[in-house]
Amino acid sequence: MSSEMYERIRNNPKFIKLVQERGKFQWTLSAIVLIMFYGYFMLIAFAPQLLGQKIATGSMWPIGYTIELFLFVFFWFTTLYYVQRSNKVYDDMAQDVVKEAQKEVI
Amino acid sequence: MRQVLLSVFVQLALMAQMAQAAGPAAGVTEKQATNWHAIVMFVIFVGITLGITYWAANRTKTTSDFYTAGGGITGFQNGLAIAGDYMSAATLLGLSAMAYAQGYDAYIYMLAFFAGWPIILFLMAERLRNLGRFTFADITSYRLSQSSVRTMAAISSLVVVVFYLIAQMVGAGQLIKLLFGLDYNIAIFIVGLLMMVYVAFGGMVATTWVQIIKACMLLFGGTVVAVLAFSQFGFSLSELFTRVESVHKLGSKLMWPGNLLADPVTAISLGLGLMFGTAGLPHILMRFFTVGNAKEARKSVLYANGFVGYFFNVIFIMGLCAVVIVGQNPAFFEGGTIGGKLIGGGNMVAMHLAKSVGGNLLLGFLAAVAFATILAVVAGLALAGAAAVSHDIYARVIRKGTATEKEEVNVSRITTVALGLLAIILGIAFEKMNIAFMVGLAFGVAAAANFPVLILSMYWKGLTTRGALWGGYGGVISSVIFVFFSKSVWVDVIGMKQALFTYTQPAIFCMPIAFGLAYIMSVTDNSARAQAEKEAFEDQYVRAQTGLGSAAPSSRH
């Protein structure tokens, strides 16, 4: 792939828009997962007694287990959301950019 | 080669028939009859996978076929294969045993093993597919020095592969010794030899199918055991928690964060090591190159993540159910003393549970699954290790791209055999180690050695060859040193009195070392080469973002 074509893509406003939007999307989701994950680990490290308690009197569900079960489900849904949005929105934008660059060559 | 494979296949089929015939005829006791269920099912698995290897061998000619199955694997297939690659014997046996003994701590481990996947998906999957071809070193050396950065990546890959292999081999030996009545050393040889056959003949095509079949068996077997066990508690978690806490020696403390993560440094370090370790495992990274494009790469992670997350929860339920079902049954303890030593050792909890809820048939099936699991993981590891040697070191560094595809594939096959022999020797040497713990160590090294350089090379324009080398080697050396001076090696293997490094998880120390060295040595690098490398980032960036110029798939399987 020629450097010129890469150069043209870099200067395409659509490419810049794609990179900015997708980057923001990726880092936002990553931040959510990282904060929840390490927040949970901070609780394990600094408040283990809290996690061992039951969610309510009379219930057998420990707080820690309940939080973590939620995290398993929630993290998977974030990946589902990411894949759907990437496949629907960002792939089309990327295709568009590549097509334009190739058209200009011809 | 066809002849050899064919005759092996025929022999195994005969063995299966003999096994069926010999079982009842020999008039053996119940426990030994169990062995035949396991052996028959395992032999069937081996027969099928060798058949696939035979089929795949005819389709494995080019380097692309050998390393990445020609890029023709679909997202769903790859998702299953990744799950098959990732869920090792240590996952099934070690984590169910940990849930049985430590309760909630095992669940914490599982989330740490799981949470790396979303991050890999968001930040790495597309770029890996768009930039890489056969190994992750293709990416780290994309705009940096081919020879030195590749050599470094290959070395750190091999370190991870060897650590992980030890854990797998030890698990294999113990399992087969118990369930198949074979000698530990013979079991290690069987695993090592089958691994060599799969990888050397069938390359990535065979390895992928071994992993897919194994993943399906594992998901099915685990689900059946968990459902049968959980039914004894009326499928009620409240009921399960109540009964588990009433009989376990930890009581209600079982569902508290416990000893394994007693101090904050260990807890955070474990989280870092497992999360970013996943993102630095060479055999996992390699799987991203087996799909056709970035879209399929994303789907791979979605499916893999779903299977892995589901299965961790299944294993945890299994472990808790075993507290009541296995832990209160004297038949599973040596000398019949409840609370004493479990027959076959601590890692056999899942197996005893299977026997208890599903009889010898289910025990046999789960044993065969566990054996198959080990084979699938070691095959993936061997392939990643072989690729590091043949593609990175031999073809790119030594021959500087002049080797023919045939030569490169041959070197790969020879390396596979060498790795198989090494795995056999180390498997025997490390017989007494705790396997879940060994996997943790492999992850620590992957997190500190492979991940920092990989992520910086994809995201940071300023990374130079000098920075990558310091960061990479700094990560490898510091993690190996920390592991060496920790209790597991310094005290347990070398026999010194006290560990010099008191933490079991090195990632929290090694990752900053690797990132710090990479950063400092890059920003202070003012050479002309460094300048050119920074400029080359721009083109790499466009390719990473759009996939323009990335390796195209060459075949479908």
Side-chain angles (χ1 to χ4, degrees), chain B residues 158-171:
Chain B
L158 285 170
V159 171
V160 175
V161 163
V162 170
F163 260 120
Y164 215 109
L165 262 180
I166 297 171
Q168 296 302 319
M169 296 303 277
V170 172

Side-chain angles (χ1 to χ4, degrees), chain B residues 416-432:
Chain B
T416 304
V417 174
L419 273 173
L421 294 175
L422 185 71
I424 290 169
I425 294 165
L426 292 179
I428 291 168
F430 284 87
E431 186 181 344
K432 306 288 178 201

